[in-house]
Amino acid sequence: MENLIGLLVAAPLLGAAVLLCGGRRLDRVDHWIGTLLAAVSFALGAVLFADLLGKDAGARTLTSHLFSWVPVGGFRADVAFRLDQLSMTFVLLITGVGTLIHLYSVGYMEHDERRRRFFGYLNLFLAAMLLLVLADNYLLLYVGWEGVGLASYLLIGFWQHKPSAATAAKKAFLVNRVGDMGLSIAIMLMFTTFGTFAFGPVLTHATDAGEGKLTAIGLMLLLAACGKSAQVPLQSWLGDAMEGPTPVSALIHAATMVTAGVYLITRSGAIFNAAPDAQTAVVTVGAVTLLFGAIVGCAKDDIKKALAGSTMSQIGYMILAAGLGPVGYVFAIMHLVTHGFFKAGLFLGAGSVMHGMNDEVDMRRYGGLRTYMPVTFVTFGLGYLAIIGFPGLSGFFSKDKIIEAAFAKGGTEGWILGGAALLGAAITAYYMTRVMILTFFGEKRWQPDADGNRPHPHESPRTMTIPMVVLAVGSVFAGGLFSINDTFLKWLEPVTGHAEGNSPLSAIEVTAATMVVLVLGVALAWAQYGRGPVPVTAPRGNALVRAARRDLLQDDFNHVVLVRGGEELTRGLVRADHSVVDGIVNGTAAAVGGLSSRMRRLQNGYARSYAVSMFGGAAVLIAATLLMRAV
Amino acid sequence: MSHAAFVHSLWTMSADAPRKIPAPQIEYAQLSPTLIVLGAACLGILAEAFLPRRLRYPVQVLLTAVGLAAGFAAVVALAAGGYGTGKAHVAAMGAIAVDGPALFLQGTILLVALIAVFTFAERRLDPVAHGRAVDSFAAQGAAVPGGEAEQEAVKAGFTTTEVFPILLFAVGGMLIFPAANDLLTLFIALEVFSLPLYVLCALARRQRLLSQEAAVKYFLLGAFSSAFLLFGIALLYGYAGTVTYAGIADVVNGTVRTVDPALASTTGNDALLLIGGALVLVGLLFKVGAVPFHMWTPDVYQGAPTPVTGFMAAATKVAAFGALLRLLYVVLPGLRWDWRPVMWGVAIVTMVVGAVVAVTQTDVKRLLAYSSIAHAGFILAGVIAVSPDGVSSVLFYLAAYSFVTLGAFAVVTLVRDAGGEATQLAKWAGLGRRSPMVAAVFAVFLLAFAGIPLTSGFTGKFAVFKAAAQGGAVPLVVVGVLSSAVAAFFYIRVIVLMFFNEPQAEGPSVAVPSVFTSAAIAVGVAVTVVLGLAPQYFLDLAGKAGVFVR
């Protein structure tokens, strides 16, 4: 059974190799090869899942040691896999949603010239992401971490002929590098502290290390998570990443890759549990980001960017939950899974709308689409209800638990965090209702595209609607399934541990409060967009709205502080390089050259001079020898 | 005693007890490498005297190659027989050592000479003269350059096939030199290999005046250095009453057994020891080309026929460093506190001067000459380590360096224009575009000279610097590394010149060599790369051969 774990990663890797190296002769079957191998991977995951279910709750860990990569002295880098409940959850999410999105892409990317390459990259992403969650040590995890970064870069910039896409890819890559540095430093710290990278020894002996060291490792891991999961202050790339094809936004930048930070923190729970300061940093980042993303989501007219803000915000919830420690780990992952369903579904719906609307993304040019695209409307609507936490749907269960856990933190902290989470829920209801109304309700505000073609909205082909339907089903039922009898809690508890906090509010009170803010948010959006006509060009808005449209000035901030500062620093370095370094180098070279031509003159071609040199040399040699004896 | 009685006593003593002079005991088998080579040289002389002209070239090439190969086989047989390690001893009545370093160096010299023979035998590079293929050597050595006799000799198609037996004599001397175990043998070996080299230097076919000038300079300065050596030997004899290495070492260490009454007044006089030792060192440092005894090197390397330069640069260095090692490790170890600081100075000056002066050279052969001076400095750093590691690192370095040198000079013979070899560096510009293969091969050799990893040069340099550092000579290593950096500059400048500069309009062309030079270059590249990629076997071999017999 253990051997299947390697195959799980190998299947999409094989797909990537075949598709990227196969050449043009594959051009007619490429999308099916990619989808098939993703499905194979999912099937293997299902088999392994069944196997794990057959075991005792405490013994559900499979390990598979492939080979020792770099055994040098005390340094051991192994290629080894570990499949436990946590990684199993991710495997099913990644391969399941991944397969659906491959299928969706069959329709979505049908007429793209470079389709083979697209599926190759998608398969590469799957392989890297599986490697990330299946690795048995931090070093191999890092390989997967970089792998998904690469795939993300390639896919954001997939339409590289568009300068905006190329820039967005570069931006994502650069911002992620900052986070990656954090991870590599964390791994180095681990090695110097524990002498190993493997999860087992590091996590079981975490408490042996001093708290200071653990805090340092924790903060570095948090930095890594911020980069990959688009959390403040490394959030700026996610909005631009929507330049990639929509299936990519759904799979990588909503359902899976961006949640890698949550995985990292949950996996390293033992380190964070022993480093309260690092945990405080984590919850702060989570709370700030969940509000930040939500506010940005309210102001965006680009449907994908609005959803991207929402993603940021929802991951903020997960990070917040993960930062709460054992109280929150399970709910972080649970929200991650339900979010994977409904956010992927929402993105696919958005893609379907764009598909029907000549690739228009401005919601102010949509309107009244519910009758033209019924399947998209229904599936998107179910996703909408799930994300705002409509009672009974997935988001209701998972988000509610996080808000509860936030209050359970206790003290002032608990009130602040719980309040932020509640506020976030209200804003979520507001911006998602806004998206829903602008897109599917109201009058038609369709505009001809740049070539003058009027849109003729139509329902998307089967390959696209089937995945949307499946994801909608997940959005509706996953949360309930997980919560009945605490199924998910019992499943994950052996890995992450669980503790009940003591909330100042009872579960009923929290649910009631959530319902109230939900209704408020929806009502506000309805009042603003549902009652009257919506202007096609956005009104100027107040300062907050304008700032939110510019992603709360994150790029301006980065530009002034980092870009300008970096440019100044670079200029200074270049100057120093020219004058100091080059000066030294060229000066040395000139000095050597000068010395050389002077010494050359001694070589005058006369044997008599050479003989004198020898004679003098002999005299010096003898004198020196005698002197040495005398001293 | 009256005069008559004295005369009588002479008579009667000789009549009464005729004292036997014991026959010397010579272990012919253990001396076989040298004997085979010298025997082949004598046969070569006979061939030169009795064979018709047209047969001489093929017979000489074959005889020389077979002689050297047989000599190498004898070395291998001796090494396999354990003479390099357990059975190492001093043969020929104390005159010649048969031990690890001697056999290793003899093997190296024989292989180097064998490859050098290939470059000597090359007859396709020079344009055909009067219907006959000619080699790099003068048609008639004795003819005045530019005179009628020379023209006639050229027209008649004469070639100097004597170079092959001359080469063999030089090799014979070089084989004895690092094995010599007493000072007189050392001196004779020196002369045996030096005199043929002087002659070879004078025999260039082109630019004969330059060649003859080089030979005269080499001869004059060589004779001068021989005088130093000989004087040093005399002083050491005065100090120890013996010329054998072991005997001198005993006196130095104070474990002397018998003192010759005739020398009782000087025996143990340290001034004699120090001055004598220093003078002998001068003689050897001249041969290795250490500063300030290096000044002959650029002129001679430039003037000599390039195949001879290659042979000389490679084999002489091996032989001379072998002798230097034996002298310092067997005779003077008890004196190391006196000679080490001095040798430090010599090594530092040699590295720095070699590297720095090379920077402004404009001629490939002179460039390689200064490079050889710098390398002599690097090797001296290993010599000074005074440890078995030092010995084995020097042995390895010598083997690696000699093949690189031979290969590099063989490449130099290929790049030609109307005037023969085009050795001005400026003419090499853009060579990599016209003849990428030749330029690439030369680049490999240059990188090896510079000590870039994955070439033998790196392994060798690393070994000597490591040995030197472990021997406590860290400042020496620092200077060595800095000099290497300077040296890397001019090696890489040549690569840049070859590959990144526009070719000159009337630049030289690369001649297509026969199988001889091709084989020489190929062996050079192969050894350079193998010793760079997988040096362990050879390092082990040098490590096992690192102990001198006493």
Side-chain angles (χ1 to χ4, degrees), chain A residues 596 600 603 605 610 613 629, chain B residues 217 270 292 295 299 338 356 360:
Chain A
S596 177
R600 234 181 119 180
Q603 190 81 23
Y610 298 176
S613 148
R629 173 55 63 95
Chain B
K217 277 183 191 166
D270 274 0
M295 299 191 96
D299 292 15
D338 297 296
V356 168
T360 44

